[in-house]
Amino acid sequence: MGIVGIRTAILVVAGLAWCGSVLAGGWEERVFNVEHFGARGDGLTDSTEAFVHAWTAACGARGASASLLVPAAKSFLVGPTKFRGPCAATRITVQVMGTITALPASAWDRQNYWLMFHQVDGLTVTGSGGVLDGRGETWWSNRCRNGDSLVLMNCTNLELSHFSSKNSPQMHIAVIQSSKVNVTQLTITAPGDSPNTDGVHIDRSEDVHITGLTIGTGDDCISIGPGSRFVNIDGIICGPGHGVSVGSLGRHGAMESVEHIDVRNVHFINTMNGARIKTWQGGRGYAKSISFTNINFTNVENPVIIDQFYVDRGVVPNAGAVALSNITYTNLKGTSSRKTAVDFDCSDSGSCRDISVSSVLITASDGRGTEARCRNAQGKTSGYVYPRIPCLS
Ligand SMILES: *[C@@H]1O[C@H](CO)[C@@H](O)[C@H](O)[C@H]1NC(C)=O
Ligand SMILES: *[C@@H]1O[C@H](CO)[C@@H](O)[C@H](O)[C@H]1NC(C)=O
Ligand SMILES: *[C@@H]1O[C@H](CO)[C@@H](O)[C@H](O)[C@H]1NC(C)=O
Ligand SMILES: *[C@@H]1O[C@H](CO)[C@@H](O)[C@H](O)[C@H]1NC(C)=O
């Protein structure tokens, strides 16, 4: 054992001693290496128990900070696990330097998540070179049940940065009921035809900042679900995938709200949608103050789309809808693989108001013209806008 090893071991022993006992002082960073709790980085041994024990120790360590270390250049097999807070330290860091690989589908027991952090304040998940491999390929052909790779549930002061996530059974990252969240510099990949493999899903969360992500999956690159407020998305490369979506909202007549969503500097490449808002017929509530700014499209099927008839194609008169207002599109350019580059398909209940569009130039990938389609949308355009949007003044 080298000097570093001895030091780490001492830190671990000190950390274990700390766990559950109150000693004076000790505000230095404590590192809990999963290998010292029995994890084997051979890619074969089930290390779930070791991860749980390492988390329990790290989470119980008092002081300013503690961290759980997943060492580099090794692969750890871990099954569905809930890492519970609250933790004793002010900040707790999960350093994923190596790879964490999910147990295959056959070894799961009805969980709908793989790695869940629950009710942790001050959590950072980071690691250059770190990889979460959800092994979704063991699920995708069997759609009866599956899980999200990384779930952050009821967390505050959360930071996710500098790792990659691939082949999640379902969503790669789900931020649920959380606030003060930074998500930066992640790479998320799954095949374009893998089902429901959203990159990042935000649900009932606020004060969320998502920057510098490269995402290519089989569903939305980023989806913003009900109850989300003050979400900033900046600097995203998306494709393949279904775009950046607000919604879907209002399923089964639900009352739902979303507000202050700012999406900017996004490049969509060969995606099904670009900037999308989707709501179900019959929903209630609102989605307002949503902006899409500086967006590039390369060969996108539906670059700009509002769909108030999500999934359900038959229009039910007077069904009502989640009310959309103050929706702004500024500086959009690029190419559409279909003739309809802008599609505002709104319900008949006057539920799309104050749509503002300025500086748009979206041409067709084949060099031909594009057009806008409108139903029941109200608002205005300014500056050069092509395709012309007839329903806006
Ligand atoms: C969320 O966490 C806080 C403490 O951080 C707790 O008081 C609250 O009950 C939790 N809410 C839910 C729905 O789990
Ligand atoms: C998120 O980023 C902002 C700006 O860089 C920073 O001020 C804030 O402390 C960060 N929050 C967390 C929880 O990391
Ligand atoms: C959009 O494309 C232009 C050049 O066509 C480039 O200068 C700009 O950086 C791109 N923006 C994004 C967000 O990809
Ligand atoms: C419209 O939305 C923008 C953010 O996109 C916000 O700054 C502004 O206050 C909103 N206006 C109204 C009238 O709600």
Side-chain angles (χ1 to χ4, degrees), residues 260-262 288-292 325-328 354:
H260 292 285
I261 310 298
D262 186 295
K288 65 183 182 189
S289 302
I290 297 169
S291 63
F292 295 94
S325 64
N326 193 19
I327 315 294
T328 308
D354 305 321

Side-chain angles (χ1 to χ4, degrees), residues 118-119 154 177:
H118 187 233
Q119 219 165 298
N154 198 15
Q177 231 177 296

Side-chain angles (χ1 to χ4, degrees), residues 1-75:
M1 185 184 275
I3 288 176
V4 172
I6 290 167
R7 211 178 108 244
T8 311
I10 290 168
L11 287 175
V12 168
V13 171
L16 286 169
W18 271 91
C19 181
S21 65
V22 182
L23 300 176
W27 289 83
E28 77 278 17
E29 164 104 359
R30 276 175 294 272
V31 179
F32 298 82
N33 183 335
V34 293
E35 286 185 311
H36 297 146
F37 292 81
R40 295 273 302 277
D42 58 6
L44 300 168
T45 310
D46 182 348
S47 294
T48 310
E49 288 283 295
F51 271 64
V52 170
H53 290 140
W55 170 259
T56 303
C59 184
R62 292 166 193 274
S65 63
S67 68
L68 178 145
L69 173 66
V70 180
K74 295 185 178 173
S75 171

Side-chain angles (χ1 to χ4, degrees), residues 63-67 89-93 121-124 156-159:
S65 63
S67 68
T90 310
R91 278 219 78 85
I92 179 147
T93 302
D121 180 28
L123 172 69
T124 299
T156 47
N157 296 305
L158 170 68
E159 182 153 341

Side-chain angles (χ1 to χ4, degrees), residues 61-256:
R62 292 166 193 274
S65 63
S67 68
L68 178 145
L69 173 66
V70 180
K74 295 185 178 173
S75 171
F76 298 89
L77 203 54
V78 175
T81 306
K82 191 182 275 189
F83 300 97
R84 297 170 197 274
C87 295
T90 310
R91 278 219 78 85
I92 179 147
T93 302
V94 176
Q95 267 183 281
V96 187
M97 310 307 283
T99 298
I100 309 179
T101 304
L103 284 175
S106 54
W108 289 40
D109 180 27
R110 297 191 171 273
Q111 296 90 346
N112 58 3
Y113 56 84
W114 174 31
L115 305 173
M116 178 191 285
F117 290 87
H118 187 233
Q119 219 165 298
V120 185
D121 180 28
L123 172 69
T124 299
V125 180
T126 188
S128 45
V131 178
L132 305 183
D133 180 355
R135 287 172 89 186
E137 62 279 8
T138 66
W139 291 97
W140 296 327
S141 54
N142 161 10
R143 299 184 71 156
C144 61
R145 62 187 165 91
N146 50 17
D148 302 333
S149 269
L150 179 62
V151 179
L152 296 308
M153 173 82 89
N154 198 15
C155 291
T156 47
N157 296 305
L158 170 68
E159 182 153 341
L160 308 176
S161 69
H162 297 100
F163 60 88
S164 55
S165 175
K166 65 177 186 184
N167 298 337
S168 176
Q170 207 161 348
M171 294 175 181
H172 286 78
I173 296 178
V175 175
I176 304 170
Q177 231 177 296
S178 295
S179 62
K180 299 200 177 80
V181 179
N182 288 349
V183 181
T184 60
Q185 307 298 327
L186 306 184
T187 302
I188 300 175
T189 50
D193 61 357
S194 56
N196 304 118
T197 51
D198 299 54
V200 180
H201 177 67
I202 307 297
D203 202 290
R204 288 163 284 157
S205 295
E206 59 181 66
D207 203 358
V208 178
H209 305 266
I210 302 177
T211 54
L213 270 52
T214 302
I215 305 172
T217 70
D219 207 307
D220 294 333
C221 286
I222 300 177
S223 53
I224 298 139
S228 300
R229 308 166 64 220
F230 300 99
V231 177
N232 292 301
I233 296 169
D234 189 350
I236 309 295
I237 297 172
C238 168
H242 296 185
V244 171
S245 299
V246 175
S248 58
L249 304 174
R251 191 175 190 180
H252 302 313
M255 162 86 85
E256 290 176 335

Side-chain angles (χ1 to χ4, degrees), residues 257-309:
S257 64
V258 163
E259 61 190 307
H260 292 285
I261 310 298
D262 186 295
V263 180
R264 62 181 61 225
N265 303 320
V266 180
H267 194 169
F268 293 102
I269 305 169
N270 297 320
T271 51
M272 180 189 287
N273 307 290
R276 175 162 68 156
I277 300 175
K278 51 180 175 172
T279 69
W280 296 75
Q281 286 190 84
R284 293 172 301 142
Y286 59 83
K288 65 183 182 189
S289 302
I290 297 169
S291 63
F292 295 94
T293 310
N294 303 339
I295 311 291
N296 283 2
F297 304 101
T298 300
N299 197 41
V300 172
E301 274 180 52
N302 305 292
V304 176
I305 179 165
I306 292 177
D307 180 1
Q308 290 212 298
F309 304 92

